[in-house]
Amino acid sequence: MDNESEIKIGVFICDCGSKIADLIDLAALEEGIRDVPTVALVQREMYSCSKKGLSDIKEAIREHGLDRIVVAGCTPRTHEPLFKAALEEAGLNGSLFEMVNIREQCALVHTDDEAGANKKALDLTRMGVAKAGLLKPAGRIETRMTPAAMVIGGGIAGLTAASAVAGGGFPVKLVEKETELGGLVGKLNLLYPRDDSAREFLEKRIGTAEQHPAIEILTGAEVVDVGGSVGDYHITIEQNGQSSEFDVGAIIVAMGAQEFEPDGMFRHDGVKVITQLELEQALRDQGVDAHRVVMVLDSIDTPHYSSVSAATALKNSILLKRTDPKREVSLLFRRLGADLDRRTIREARDVGVRFVKYNGRGRPQVTDEMVEVYDQLRGEELSIPYDLVVLAMPLVPREDAVKVSLMLRTPLDGNGFFLEPNMRLRPQNYVRDGIFVCGSAHYPVDVQESIFQAHRAAAKAVRYLSDGKVDSDTPSAIVLESLCTGCGACVEACPFLAIAMEERGGTLSISRIDPLLCKRCGNCAVVCSAKAIVMEPYTDRELIAQINAALAAPRDGEPRILGLMCEWSGYAAADLA
């Protein structure tokens, strides 16, 4: 198999219905590939990813003894796993597969240059064949799973997720930083839109979690370190000044969000000018005596509109009018989200809540006795007297979100909330990390959405833990021990903490890469001055073979971009071999 003359490559060209065939001359592409010495079969398919297309590929592997497969079609992002699975079913290692994207990279982007698109398609396919000839079979990485989970956060999302995972048959450690469970819901009075008692709603769910034998609740505890590897995370927590450790296979991040601190904005003093959360606590504990109440929404610039804050203000406006119909309640807003319940808005108008729309340039001004605002709907300046001003502050990420994200190696978005990989945008054969996010740790959501997300995260975690093992057929970066000098540059460059130094012989340290933590970003290969780290299947040998294949294609004397690059850099095409 190592002898390149014995390699038999099968090339399958996909019409993709008509998306590719409408622009690319696939018959000419087929003929242009046949003359490559290692190509044993070229075959057209209407849809290579269809059941029939995959069956044809498997049959061709068995019938023609193919040992490498190239599919010229669409993006490997979504379809590569299908083809690799087909190769495995036919008895061929899935890593002996190369996919060439002639749809997005040719047919869809060069509609104004049909000739150029056809030349490019031929180049890309010849390059894919050249690379396929050098592919090596890769072994499957597999390790044992720790059958347990940790939930970070004891709010409604965390409680729901913990109970669901425990109900799925796995022990759960619920870690809550505060001394009491409940999160933001524990500070609310009534829940929108049905006006259920937040306290009763929460107590029921806390009781369910506390009584479940598979759930251990750790309040006043904080995660201080996450070590280990995928499927076997070593967790260190600190509780009451003492550290303890345990292992889990899955982690659910449900640490929620927090209300933005006004810090004196709009004369906020916690007495005459308060936040919605402070109003909730007042309504729950002692009630509100104020006769003239002004609610202010969108009072600060935020990257996104928070319907949660708007819904809370709307709910409390109605509640204040219900408890005292003579009370004057004004609701100042820039926008009311389309996801707010229209019936609730109508109810607020019916009970006498006064709606005032302002624009971003004319924000309300709070004085000692009045709220000054320009009413866009009425086209006039208003001076609204008040006894109480209530600011609808947006929900923002928790202060410790950055710290937790670094420990979990999980990215945050531009607003500081946790991201979860979109599986349509990342190859499915990448190792699943076993880390799931739900509730307002994702973005500001209401109670019902938090519960929904918690059940979804728990279902994913249970399915993940039920596998009993973590495996991947995706090769990680590889250390060539004979070249490694032990400088440690790769350790510092790895953003996923997948590389550590390992002593050899007592005097020399070499790099060790955890294949399950490695995401193949390539940072380590770039910083390694000794060239001791290679990225399969993107080695220098494979890349140079692709360049040579592109340069070798006939072009009737036309200058080639790659050829010009070689001249500018001082290398001839032959020098790259």
Side-chain angles (χ1 to χ4, degrees):
M1 189 68 67
D2 291 337
N3 189 341
E4 292 187 15
S5 63
E6 299 177 1
I7 291 175
K8 300 176 70 176
I9 299 176
V11 180
F12 295 83
I13 301 173
C14 183
D15 288 30
C16 198
S18 61
K19 289 185 175 65
I20 296 176
D22 280 353
L23 185 72
I24 306 298
D25 184 348
L26 297 183
L29 176 60
E30 187 176 353
E31 288 302 314
I33 296 299
R34 288 187 188 279
D35 64 350
V36 180
T38 54
V39 173
L41 173 71
V42 181
Q43 186 167 307
R44 289 270 299 279
E45 295 286 344
M46 179 63 71
Y47 287 104
S48 297
C49 60
S50 67
K51 186 175 181 180
K52 178 183 181 302
L54 295 173
S55 177
D56 289 346
I57 292 174
K58 290 186 283 187
E59 183 179 343
I61 291 173
R62 299 187 186 102
E63 182 179 345
H64 299 278
L66 304 177
D67 46 44
R68 304 286 192 282
I69 297 296
V70 174
V71 171
C74 63
T75 171
R77 282 285 182 180
T78 53
H79 289 73
E80 188 177 58
L82 290 173
F83 295 112
K84 286 192 172 184
L87 264 65
E88 296 283 351
E89 292 172 10
L92 192 60
N93 191 290
S95 61
L96 301 177
F97 171 80
E98 178 66 15
M99 194 162 185
V100 179
N101 189 349
I102 61 172
R103 188 179 72 176
E104 280 79 3
Q105 295 179 3
C106 294
L108 299 186
V109 296
H110 298 304
T111 55
D112 58 342
D113 183 9
E114 184 173 340
N118 277 277
K119 293 176 182 178
K120 183 177 178 183
L122 178 59
D123 277 351
L124 290 178
T125 308
R126 291 174 67 96
M127 291 166 73
V129 170
K131 180 180 177 183
L134 298 175
L135 294 177
K136 299 177 182 178
R140 196 168 191 84
I141 306 164
E142 186 174 308
T143 187
R144 174 183 165 275
M145 173 92 68
T146 300
M150 173 180 69
V151 176
I152 304 176
I156 190 63
L159 289 166
T160 303
S163 297
V165 172
F170 294 97
V172 180
K173 303 274 190 182
L174 177 60
V175 181
E176 168 55 49
K177 188 176 182 180
E178 305 298 329
T179 56
E180 294 183 0
L181 298 172
L184 284 179
V185 176
K187 301 177 182 179
L188 300 182
N189 176 39
L190 300 177
L191 300 179
Y192 172 88
R194 295 185 301 180
D195 292 344
D196 297 326
S197 168
R199 181 173 294 173
E200 293 177 6
F201 180 86
L202 193 58
E203 286 176 351
K204 180 179 179 181
R205 280 150 183 81
I206 290 176
T208 300
E210 289 179 336
Q211 294 167 18
H212 201 294
I215 299 177
E216 182 180 355
I217 298 175
L218 306 168
T219 55
E222 185 177 1
V223 179
V224 295
D225 187 51
V226 178
S229 185
V230 176
D232 183 30
Y233 291 108
H234 306 322
I235 311 298
T236 303
I237 67 165
E238 194 171 277
Q239 185 182 32
N240 301 323
Q242 296 184 341
S243 296
S244 59
E245 299 179 355
F246 54 86
D247 297 338
V248 298
I251 299 172
I252 296 178
V253 181
M255 56 193 299
Q258 63 186 26
E259 188 181 52
F260 180 84
E261 290 287 345
D263 194 24
M265 297 172 61
F266 297 93
R267 295 178 177 250
H268 174 263
D269 57 6
V271 181
K272 287 194 68 176
V273 181
I274 63 177
T275 67
Q276 284 292 341
L277 192 56
E278 290 169 334
L279 175 63
E280 289 277 348
Q281 293 170 292
L283 290 170
R284 186 187 64 185
D285 298 335
Q286 74 269 6
V288 174
D289 294 330
H291 178 68
R292 298 169 299 184
V293 180
V294 179
M295 302 270 189
V296 183
L297 277 64
D298 298 323
S299 54
I300 63 171
D301 285 324
T302 55
H304 56 278
Y305 171 77
S306 176
S307 60
V308 177
S309 301
T312 302
L314 194 62
K315 173 200 69 176
N316 287 334
S317 297
I318 295 171
L319 180 61
L320 289 171
K321 287 293 290 185
R322 280 181 184 166
T323 55
D324 183 1
K326 295 183 179 180
R327 180 181 278 134
E328 298 175 6
V329 180
S330 300
L331 194 151
L332 283 54
F333 70 97
R334 275 195 287 172
R335 50 189 168 171
L336 289 177
D339 50 351
L340 292 179
D341 185 32
R342 299 291 104 180
R343 290 172 299 179
T344 307
I345 295 176
R346 285 195 296 269
E347 181 182 358
R349 293 187 184 278
D350 291 342
V351 298
V353 175
R354 181 187 188 185
F355 285 80
V356 178
K357 179 175 174 58
Y358 67 93
N359 62 34
R361 295 179 182 178
R363 287 190 182 83
Q365 301 297 314
V366 180
T367 66
D368 288 338
E369 304 294 336
M370 299 284 184
V371 176
E372 309 284 349
V373 65
Y374 179 78
D375 188 338
Q376 280 191 303
L377 299 180
R378 296 174 181 82
E380 59 183 359
E381 293 283 352
L382 299 180
S383 295
I384 307 173
Y386 72 89
D387 301 313
L388 182 67
V389 173
V390 185
L391 305 174
M393 292 288 102
L395 295 181
V396 296
R398 288 272 300 268
E399 293 177 353
D400 53 348
V402 173
K403 177 182 176 182
V404 173
S405 74
L406 290 174
M407 286 189 291
L408 298 180
R409 300 175 286 275
T410 302
L412 301 176
D413 66 17
N415 301 321
F417 290 101
F418 283 87
L419 279 172
E420 193 168 25
N422 185 322
M423 294 310 293
R424 282 194 61 81
L425 299 179
R426 116 177 180 179
Q428 295 178 11
N429 61 325
Y430 269 54
V431 176
R432 297 167 297 164
D433 292 338
I435 298 175
F436 310 95
V437 186
C438 63
S440 291
H442 247 328
Y443 51 83
V445 295
D446 60 22
V447 172
Q448 294 303 317
E449 177 68 15
S450 290
I451 292 173
F452 170 78
Q453 289 191 18
H455 280 296
R456 184 183 64 180
K460 290 181 179 180
V462 168
R463 185 169 64 247
Y464 175 75
L465 292 170
S466 297
D467 286 344
K469 66 180 185 303
V470 182
D471 58 7
S472 173
D473 60 0
T474 302
S476 67
I478 300 171
V479 177
L480 304 178
E481 296 184 7
S482 60
L483 298 179
C484 180
T485 62
C487 68
C490 56
V491 177
E492 297 180 9
C494 180
F496 304 102
L497 306 182
I499 309 178
M501 301 306 295
E502 186 178 86
E503 287 191 6
R504 289 291 175 91
T507 58
L508 178 66
S509 294
I510 65 169
S511 297
R512 181 183 61 82
I513 299 177
D514 186 327
L516 293 175
L517 288 177
C518 176
K519 297 297 182 293
R520 303 169 68 225
C521 66
N523 284 6
C524 55
V526 171
V527 301
C528 182
S529 59
K531 298 187 72 67
I533 299 180
V534 296
M535 300 290 300
E536 295 279 3
Y538 304 102
T539 64
D540 289 352
R541 187 166 178 245
E542 290 161 338
L543 293 173
I544 291 172
Q546 289 180 281
I547 293 172
N548 285 337
L551 294 176
R555 274 296 179 273
D556 301 326
E558 294 181 17
R560 305 299 309 283
I561 293 177
L562 285 173
L564 291 173
M565 289 176 63
C566 291
E567 291 177 15
W568 293 338
S569 62
Y571 290 96
D575 295 331
L576 295 173

